[in-house]
Amino acid sequence: MTASSIVPTVVDAVAQPQPPVGADPEAAGRARSGLARTFSIINLLASKAPEALGVSAIARDLQMPKTVAHRILKELAADAFLAFDTTTKQYRLGPGALTVGLAALRTLDVPRTARPHLARLVEASGETATLSIRQGWQRVYVDQVLSPHEVRMSVALGRMYPLHAGSSSKAILAVLSDETIEEFLAQHARASFTSRTITSADALRDDIAEIRQRGYAVSYGERQAGAASVATAIRDAWGEVVGSISLCGPRERFAEHILRHGAAVAEAARAVSREIGHGSAQS
């Protein structure tokens, strides 16, 4: 298992069928080629999410004939696996893709394992607790337990975010190897979500060093203005980063308890990591 494939992609989850005895090898090869093209489109859109792409951009990125890309995209959109914007003429992942992705996450048992820890964090802190799962160079919120306060933070489950913005993202980024971090910095644009989003490579390297020393990531309005959060990565039996657990709340109320919240999240993340096997795998 590699660090960039913690959550199985669709192509990982579908076994390639073997042709029956006596089948035409050339015909089987064409069928596999068609499946491979379909999966390459799905995985491209997953890697770009939440960005949408048009037919021309998809065909160009995958070095695929535009007519072939258009046919596959129409079929996927007809089954709601992709969503098509009639105004922009662009495609993005649809509700069908989310259903498959969440089903794959459930097989990892991470959300079920983490859920009681999220609930205890909320009970102790009074703030919202979240679980994010890494998907390549992004991460996605898959669960949350809401704060009991009337004024509270909440997140959009199923939405992806890049690894540079917010504590849940930076907690994941900080536990990757230095070589992987440099690959991320070199190959991926760092968009601003707010005026406080860290987009400078040098500033992000400095913040990563602080996260590693502190044991948890901190964000003051980097992804959402007026919010504050702390987060720590969770790891699996092979030591790979699976995702992160966070506490988040309105900045005015949250900031004065930042040290206590950070320590609580770090302990919860260690507990979840242990329960999904971290430290138990043989080298």
Side-chain angles (χ1 to χ4, degrees):
M1 180 179 296
T2 64
S4 61
S5 60
I6 300 306
V7 176
T9 62
V10 177
V11 71
D12 293 324
V14 179
Q16 292 293 328
Q18 296 299 315
V21 176
D24 180 357
E26 185 177 351
R30 286 195 299 270
R32 285 197 297 271
S33 177
L35 283 173
R37 285 172 165 172
T38 300
F39 291 136
S40 66
I41 289 176
I42 293 170
N43 289 327
L44 173 64
L45 289 170
S47 70
K48 299 290 186 181
E51 179 185 353
L53 296 175
V55 178
S56 297
I58 292 170
R60 183 174 58 252
D61 281 4
L62 297 176
Q63 298 182 341
M64 182 184 301
K66 187 175 177 180
T67 54
V68 173
H70 188 238
R71 174 179 56 77
I72 295 172
L73 288 163
K74 286 185 66 176
E75 291 176 355
L76 290 170
D79 290 331
F81 202 92
L82 300 183
F84 178 64
D85 189 320
T86 57
T87 301
T88 64
K89 309 297 183 184
Q90 293 183 323
Y91 294 84
R92 68 176 73 246
L93 294 181
L98 179 60
T99 299
V100 172
L102 291 177
L105 289 175
R106 284 194 293 272
T107 67
L108 295 176
D109 244 8
V110 177
R112 184 175 66 84
T113 301
R115 182 74 181 190
H117 295 279
L118 299 183
R120 283 192 286 271
L121 282 172
V122 174
E123 183 179 1
S125 69
E127 303 295 354
T128 295
T130 76
L131 171 67
S132 291
I133 296 294
R134 184 189 177 196
Q135 289 196 315
W137 295 115
Q138 299 178 298
R139 53 97 186 175
V140 57
Y141 285 118
V142 297
D143 198 11
Q144 66 179 325
V145 177
L146 293 173
S147 161
H149 292 294
E150 185 174 352
V151 179
R152 64 191 182 190
M153 302 303 302
S154 64
V155 300
L157 299 183
R159 183 172 178 182
M160 290 191 181
Y161 292 96
L163 295 184
H164 72 281
S167 67
S168 292
S169 291
K170 294 188 302 180
I172 294 171
L173 189 62
V175 299
L176 300 178
S177 68
D178 291 341
E179 293 77 13
T180 304
I181 292 171
E182 290 305 315
E183 181 182 354
F184 172 78
L185 294 176
Q187 297 183 7
H188 298 270
R190 294 173 293 281
S192 292
F193 289 83
T194 72
S195 61
R196 300 184 66 89
T197 305
I198 301 175
T199 58
S200 160
D202 287 339
L204 197 54
R205 290 188 190 97
D206 290 342
D207 200 27
I208 287 170
E210 293 180 7
I211 294 168
R212 289 172 170 178
Q213 181 177 13
R214 188 193 303 121
Y216 56 88
V218 176
S219 169
Y220 289 108
E222 294 176 18
R223 188 186 62 78
Q224 186 172 352
S229 63
V230 293
T232 302
I234 53 178
R235 298 173 183 258
D236 64 13
W238 296 268
E240 304 283 2
V241 58
V242 175
S244 59
I245 288 177
S246 83
L247 274 174
C248 58
R251 181 172 178 173
E252 306 79 43
R253 186 175 70 221
F254 196 94
E256 62 181 304
H257 304 293
I258 200 80
L259 295 177
R260 178 164 58 87
H261 292 337
V265 165
E267 177 52 39
R270 285 192 292 269
V272 173
S273 297
R274 286 194 300 269
E275 289 177 27
I276 62 174
H278 181 51
S280 64
Q282 298 296 316
S283 58

